[in-house]
Amino acid sequence: MKHLIDPTDLSVDEIEGILNLALDIIKDKSKYSEACKGKKLATLFFEPSTRTRLSFEAAMMELGGNVLGFSSADSSSATKGESVGDTIRVVGCYADIIAMRHPKEGAPMLGSMVSPVPIINAGDGGHNHPTQTLTDLLTIKREKGDLNNFTIGLCGDLKFGRTVHSLIKALSRYEGIKFILISPKELKVPDYIITEVFEKNNIDYKEVTTMEEVMPELDIIYMTRVQKERFFNEADYVRLKDTYILDKSKLKNAKETLSIMHPLPRVNEISTEIDDDPRAAYFRQALNGKYVRMALMLTLLGVNV
Ligand code: NCD
């Protein structure tokens, strides 16, 4: 049985298989409409979510399966003091696959050690978010045609942003990618990403503090929200939250072929005046999230269509 806890739990070939399956689902949705008939997905969200939870649920429904679960820790037995391990053992008796989000780093990994069914990490604290990464990879493949040979700028909260950590890890296995890390010094990527991912694999990266200085080089800009809920101190959040706002003026020197991505939810970091620009890929990205989760669940459940 396979779980998805860290983006590198899947090999590059397995990811290729999931992305190709997602592309086939997009081409012929009706072929998959009963693929998970009789199967149940449990979504256990100990932390809020819109896209991730609802796209998982929509994905299972479009595969003909059913969903159950909870959308906040308050409405689960966590409030009575139940451990994550016990919750997973119990839900594993009711569901065929579990998608779980938790504010504590490592909680889904813990769950996977006792789970009788596949566990998907739907975000653990500031650590990882592998299904957002699959969403991002499918988006890059569809927007750019290739997962190799481009320059990507990751901008905003690179310290607490789990989508950034997971995406960097996943992309580090492709060729010819240059990473430009755009953040204030307080929100730089954690040291382990620099040493364990970039330096260990001899990957081209640089750290800068403004998007203007690198905009002409970028093939992709991946904007992120400053992760309010992970700050210890409100004043720091208020000081840093609007460091980067992508608007029309900042795109003046950008490539015509730039892709603008964002895992969403957006707060202020992308002006709505950009939404109609053909380079704005973030709502297409959100839709890709549903298809790639369909492909992932089919794969983990071992369903062949
Ligand atoms: C992200 C997350 O939860 O980490 N959202 C998402 O799943 N699309 C990004 C964020 O909350 O900023």
Side-chain angles (χ1 to χ4, degrees):
M1 184 181 39
K2 188 135 182 145
H3 308 287
L4 177 60
I5 306 299
D6 183 282
T8 57
D9 290 346
L10 295 167
S11 68
V12 170
D13 284 349
E14 285 170 325
I15 288 183
E16 185 70 13
I18 291 170
L19 300 185
N20 286 337
L21 180 55
L23 292 174
D24 196 62
I25 294 170
I26 292 167
K27 241 185 11 221
D28 188 358
K29 297 183 188 73
S30 61
K31 192 165 112 193
Y32 295 90
S33 65
E34 304 221 319
C36 283
K37 203 165 170 207
K39 303 250 187 257
K40 280 170 280 170
L41 160 73
T43 52
L44 311 187
F45 277 63
F46 296 88
E47 201 187 55
S49 165
T50 304
R51 263 148 303 278
T52 305
R53 185 172 62 84
L54 297 185
S55 70
F56 261 114
E57 296 185 356
M60 186 46 102
M61 289 174 189
E62 290 194 24
L63 293 168
N66 291 301
V67 296
L68 63 161
F70 52 81
S71 56
S72 80
D74 303 348
S75 56
S76 77
S77 282
T79 54
K80 299 182 186 167
E82 186 173 52
S83 70
V84 167
D86 281 4
T87 305
I88 295 293
R89 275 178 206 257
V90 170
V91 176
C93 304
Y94 308 148
D96 301 285
I97 189 164
I98 296 174
M100 169 186 175
R101 169 171 288 190
H102 203 284
K104 284 219 176 78
E105 283 85 0
M109 159 70 95
L110 230 153
S112 72
M113 288 158 73
V114 297
S115 178
V117 300
I119 296 269
I120 301 170
N121 177 5
D124 62 326
H127 194 211
N128 273 314
H129 194 347
T131 64
Q132 182 62 46
T133 297
L134 291 173
T135 303
D136 299 341
L137 295 178
L138 180 61
T139 303
I140 295 171
K141 196 173 165 81
R142 294 187 80 191
E143 300 286 321
K144 296 270 168 258
D146 192 4
L147 289 169
N148 302 283
N149 302 315
F150 54 78
T151 297
I152 181 167
L154 297 145
C155 179
D157 186 347
L158 309 188
K159 178 178 181 183
F160 296 117
R162 56 193 173 196
T163 66
V164 168
H165 306 155
S166 285
L167 182 58
I168 290 174
K169 282 195 212 168
L171 286 178
S172 72
R173 302 187 295 178
Y174 296 86
E175 298 293 318
I177 301 181
K178 180 172 175 186
F179 293 84
I180 303 186
L181 309 171
I182 310 162
S183 77
K185 63 179 188 321
E186 296 89 336
L187 298 178
K188 281 160 82 155
V189 291
D191 288 344
Y192 79 89
I193 299 271
I194 301 283
T195 54
E196 292 302 305
V197 185
F198 292 132
E199 288 175 356
K200 200 168 178 175
N201 300 299
N202 248 324
I203 290 170
D204 192 351
Y205 81 96
K206 66 176 174 185
E207 295 183 284
V208 299
T209 53
T210 71
M211 57 169 107
E212 289 87 332
E213 65 191 287
V214 294
M215 193 59 86
E217 293 177 57
L218 302 180
D219 300 303
I220 299 170
I221 185 159
Y222 190 98
M223 297 297 296
T224 62
R225 171 180 75 88
V226 176
Q227 305 281 299
K228 181 177 184 191
E229 64 277 31
R230 315 238 183 266
F231 276 74
F232 296 111
N233 172 336
E234 168 89 15
D236 285 343
Y237 169 70
V238 170
R239 182 167 55 81
L240 294 168
K241 70 183 173 62
D242 292 328
T243 312
Y244 303 109
I245 298 179
L246 183 63
D247 57 16
K248 274 193 177 151
S249 71
K250 305 252 174 45
L251 284 176
K252 248 192 351 253
N253 298 320
K255 290 186 183 174
E256 274 308 309
T257 54
L258 176 74
S259 294
I260 304 166
M261 296 175 61
H262 191 310
L264 304 176
R266 140 175 80 181
V267 185
N268 288 326
E269 56 282 350
I270 300 181
S271 161
T272 53
E273 69 183 21
I274 306 285
D275 292 358
D276 295 328
D277 187 308
R279 293 171 290 186
Y282 32 94
F283 292 117
R284 295 192 289 276
Q285 189 180 352
L287 179 59
N288 287 332
K290 181 181 70 178
Y291 296 124
V292 96
R293 289 180 175 102
M294 291 170 77
L296 173 67
M297 288 192 287
L298 288 172
T299 304
L300 294 182
L301 287 168
V303 175
N304 290 309
V305 178

